[in-house]
């Protein structure tokens, strides 16, 4: 059986991918590539191989990928450093003889208006230039990205954003994790591009309405210009760089950057994607 490795395996997505893979593959055929092995001690206790490496250390990556047939490259969380970090992983995969790289890119990365898409486009180009067999998992937004703001929306009675009436076809982190595990378990995936998004799209006004429906409290959506939304995020305590990225992404939403109605995700995972209402419910204060 193929040896499958997952980078960033201690993160939320990586852990969910491994949990799904454990239902399909022997634990000793799975490799969790992490910076801190203590964070995946529970997985190691279940038989998953744990190898220490991170995106900034090419030599450690080459060692960690020895004997690996398939690799899930989960995109780095360090925006602005992703291209060099991903290059290290791709080069290490070449040197280790990895047979297939699955990369978590961004929905419609090749034409996305989101500023975040540039690093994904560059990483996709690196994979092509390397000549590595690869499959692109172009993930849309996690619904949890918005659900995390539910408590604040209830506290202040408002959902802020710069998305206007743009539709967001998000899905849950669990949906995307199942998709990744499925692709890693299938044959003949090299060259495929999956545009992965939720079955049902919604606007931020509809998100606010869903919060009202479930909580019974008044919440409205207030559209702000990009600069004003960025300033509001900074005032709320977010770092300036993150605030700028989120505000720019919201503008991208208004331009259709996070909408897709192809339902490739639900077909791939064999069930409907997780509804917005379910994720909002989980985010409501007890």
């Amino acid at each position: 059986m193929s040896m499958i490795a997952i980078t960033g395996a201690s993160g939320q997505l990586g852990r969910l991918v491994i949990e799904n893979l454990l239902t399909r593959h022997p634990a000793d055929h799975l490799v969790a590539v992490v910076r801190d092995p203590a964070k995946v001690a529970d997985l190691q206790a279940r038989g998953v191989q744990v190898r220490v490496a991170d995106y900034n250390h090419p030599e450690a990556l080459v060692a960690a990928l020895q004997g690996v047939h398939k690799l899930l490259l989960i995109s780095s969380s360090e925006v602005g450093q992703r291209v060099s970090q991903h290059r290290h992983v791709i080069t290490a995969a070449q040197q280790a003889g990895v047979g297939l790289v699955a990369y978590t890119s961004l929905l419609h990365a090749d034409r996305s208006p989101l500023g975040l898409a540039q690093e994904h486009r560059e990483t996709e180009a690196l994979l092509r230039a390397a000549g590595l067999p690869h499959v692109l998992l172009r993930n849309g937004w996690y619904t949890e990205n918005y659900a995390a703001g539910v408590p604040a929306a209830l506290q202040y009675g408002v959902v802020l954003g710069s998305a206007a009436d743009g539709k967001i076809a998000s899905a849950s982190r669990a949906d995307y994790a199942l998709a990744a595990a499925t692709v890693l378990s299938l044959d003949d995936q090299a060259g495929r591009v999956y545009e992965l998004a939720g079955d049902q799209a919604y606007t931020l006004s509809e998100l606010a309405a869903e919060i009202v429906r479930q909580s019974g409290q008044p919440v409205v959506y207030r559209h702000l210009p990009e600069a004003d939304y960025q300033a509001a995020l900074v005032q709320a305590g977010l770092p300036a760089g993150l605030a700028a990225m989120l505000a720019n992404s919201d503008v991208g939403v208004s331009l259709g950057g996070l909408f897709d109605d192809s339902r490739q995700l639900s077909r791939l995972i064999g069930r409907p994607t997780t509804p917005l209402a379910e994720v909002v419910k989980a985010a409501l204060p007890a």
Side-chain angles (χ1 to χ4, degrees):
M1 293 183 68
S2 295
M3 188 80 73
I4 301 173
I6 299 90
T7 67
S10 62
Q12 291 175 294
L13 180 64
R15 275 188 162 276
L16 287 171
V17 173
I18 290 176
E19 290 293 345
N20 279 289
L21 288 171
L22 282 167
T23 68
R24 310 169 188 232
H25 302 272
D28 61 357
H29 283 68
L30 304 178
V31 177
V33 181
V34 296
R35 287 183 295 186
D36 182 358
K39 292 184 177 180
V40 290
D42 58 315
L43 295 176
Q44 189 169 30
R46 293 163 66 184
V48 174
Q49 296 188 48
V50 174
R51 300 181 184 176
V52 179
D54 67 45
Y55 297 118
N56 293 314
H57 295 89
E59 299 84 2
L61 286 165
V62 174
L65 298 181
Q66 292 302 311
V68 169
H69 301 95
K70 297 180 180 180
L71 169 67
L72 176 62
L73 169 52
I74 295 179
S75 58
S76 165
S77 60
E78 297 181 59
V79 176
Q81 300 181 49
R82 285 172 163 170
V83 177
S84 63
Q85 291 178 335
H86 295 167
R87 182 184 289 110
H88 291 157
V89 180
I90 291 166
T91 300
Q94 283 181 295
Q95 295 178 8
V98 173
L100 179 74
V101 176
Y103 171 62
T104 60
S105 188
L106 179 69
L107 184 67
H108 299 301
D110 54 336
R111 56 181 175 83
S112 173
L114 277 70
L116 276 177
Q118 182 59 33
E119 289 183 303
H120 292 294
R121 283 192 286 267
E122 292 183 44
T123 300
E124 292 184 8
L126 288 173
L127 284 164
R128 291 192 297 271
L132 270 173
H134 62 276
V135 52
L136 300 178
L137 306 174
R138 287 179 171 167
N139 292 346
W141 239 225
Y142 297 145
T143 310
E144 289 90 345
N145 290 351
Y146 289 111
V150 168
L154 291 170
Q155 181 179 355
Y156 297 106
V158 64
V159 172
L160 298 177
S162 297
D165 294 322
K167 290 189 173 295
I168 303 156
S170 68
S172 73
R173 189 176 279 105
D175 295 335
Y176 293 117
L178 178 55
T182 300
V183 166
L184 290 167
S185 301
L186 293 171
D187 295 325
D188 302 319
Q189 293 300 294
R192 294 179 182 264
V193 179
Y194 292 98
E195 303 290 354
L196 302 177
D199 291 341
Q200 302 297 327
Y202 56 89
T203 65
L204 291 187
S205 293
E206 290 168 335
L207 169 63
E210 181 60 31
I211 297 170
V212 172
R213 188 185 72 80
Q214 294 199 37
S215 70
Q217 298 184 42
V219 178
V220 298
Y221 169 57
R222 183 184 303 159
H223 177 78
L224 298 173
E226 181 177 358
D228 292 351
Y229 182 40
Q230 181 178 337
L233 291 171
V234 170
Q235 187 176 3
L238 271 65
L242 177 59
M245 181 271 287
L246 291 174
N248 171 268
S249 296
D250 246 30
V251 173
V253 170
S254 73
L255 300 173
L258 291 178
F259 175 73
D260 180 271
D261 59 1
S262 65
R263 301 202 173 195
Q264 292 182 44
L265 176 54
S266 55
R267 287 200 299 273
L268 184 60
I269 64 178
R271 60 162 174 76
T273 58
T274 307
L276 171 66
E278 186 175 320
V279 180
V280 169
K281 181 179 180 180
L284 290 171

